[in-house]
Amino acid sequence: MSVVRKPEQNQTINYPLVIAAIVVWTIISFIVGLYGAEWFMPEAATVEADAVDNLFRFMLGFGTFIFLLVETLIFYFAIRYGFMRDRNDESDGPPVHGNNTVEIVWTIIPAIIVFALTIYSFQVLIDTTEAKDGEREIKVTGQQFFWSFEYPDEQYQLKINHILVVPEDQAIKLAMNSEDVIHAFWVPAFRVKQDVMPGRTSNLRFTANKHTGLPDPSLINIYDPTLTVDQIDELDFGYEIVCAELCGALHGRMRGKAFVVTDEEYEEFLEGLREIEREKERQRQEALENLDALKELGRTLFATYGCNACHQLTDANSLNMGQGPSLNGLEERAATYPGYESAEDYIHTSIINPNAHVVEGYAPGIMPQNFASRIPPEDLDILVTYLAAPKDN
Ligand code: CUA
């Protein structure tokens, strides 16, 4: 028959040891909380980053304390009542039926912590998302699998892929849309992240405050529309832009760089984009008369409208083996499709209505169906003519 041990036979609590442990945990938690943002967070480059990092410190400090408390108790009990137990003692434990003090304490303390965290994080959320005075809007479009940015301008549509440029100390509002599935725009160094959804505009606000400048043209020509994400990635400055929502096969390649510049550099950058538009107008004229000019503009448009995100086309510097069929040798294949007057006809249909003919081995519905509204007719004509034109490789 087993003996039931009486509660008073239990070991008494060693108060000095408990207090010492709590003091040590508190000091460690305080240090981890204080330096945690430096250890675990990337470089901070916005005004908003401070608020987010402070919230992170606060949570990490509390988290560390609770972690130490729980882990220490687990190890203590595992050793004391596991390895070091009295192996001849077969008596039952004391019959304990509830302890109101303990229950009140372990309910109230976490409730206070969670309540404080809720209020604090809500305040940070309000501060970092509210509209600021004099903010400048930049349009962001997410699509499988790249980001594009449109800068406000009276005369032209100033668009550029992969590269976000913002003036320093200027409140920015990103107005974001998706052309296909849900993406999430994230710049870790800016400490802001927001879902980007089709059919709905979501906003993201920040004020960048760490100047990077624009890449030197000898390193990379940011105005070159055939610039790939990998080439941009190789730059060792600028802040990473990533997609934070699993959006398809090449989600991991949906990256870019953000640059923070002075007002003069920003104006210079916009002027560079305007120059591209002027050049495009000239090329469009020329392309109508000359095959080399047509090809050059075609390569540009192939990248501008993101065809290179999914289709291989060696002539346009796209070596992608991805989502869509290769377009190498398309001019010959296109000519073999029955029911079309010309290769151009077939290609035109395939761009604006991708499900009309799906190349064997590929699934319907992968290519966006809205290119008719995304590519202006004058660009579409040139793109089609380029794709149908004979190429060397
Ligand atoms: Cu877009 Cu992941």
Side-chain angles (χ1 to χ4, degrees), residues 142-153:
Q143 68 186 85
Q144 289 167 322
F145 294 98
F146 65 100
W147 297 107
S148 58
F149 303 91
E150 188 185 330
Y151 298 85
D153 189 66

Side-chain angles (χ1 to χ4, degrees), residues 142-147 180-184 242-248 250-254:
Q143 68 186 85
Q144 289 167 322
F145 294 98
F146 65 100
W147 297 107
D180 35 52
V181 299
I182 301 177
H183 304 275
V242 284
C243 176
E245 187 79 52
L246 186 58
C247 55
L250 300 179
H251 152 75
R253 283 181 55 84
M254 198 163 162

Side-chain angles (χ1 to χ4, degrees), residues 16-49:
L17 187 67
V18 169
I19 291 169
I22 290 179
V23 169
V24 172
W25 296 334
T26 307
I27 293 172
I28 296 177
S29 310
F30 196 75
I31 292 172
V32 172
L34 208 57
Y35 294 103
E38 281 76 22
W39 296 337
F40 301 115
M41 293 291 231
E43 184 181 4
T46 56
V47 174
E48 290 72 14

Side-chain angles (χ1 to χ4, degrees), residues 267-313:
E267 215 14 76
E268 213 176 279
F269 167 71
L270 292 185
E271 193 47 37
L273 292 182
R274 283 186 204 110
E275 186 49 38
I276 295 181
E277 293 306 312
R278 287 183 210 116
E279 177 63 23
K280 260 204 297 208
E281 268 168 24
R282 282 193 291 272
Q283 284 181 332
R284 238 181 252 128
Q285 269 312 310
E286 215 187 322
L288 298 173
E289 295 140 29
N290 166 325
L291 183 65
D292 282 339
L294 169 86
K295 281 189 178 175
E296 199 177 325
L297 181 56
R299 288 179 198 117
T300 304
L301 298 178
F302 191 76
T304 305
Y305 295 110
C307 313
N308 63 352
C310 297
H311 294 283
Q312 183 181 49
L313 182 60

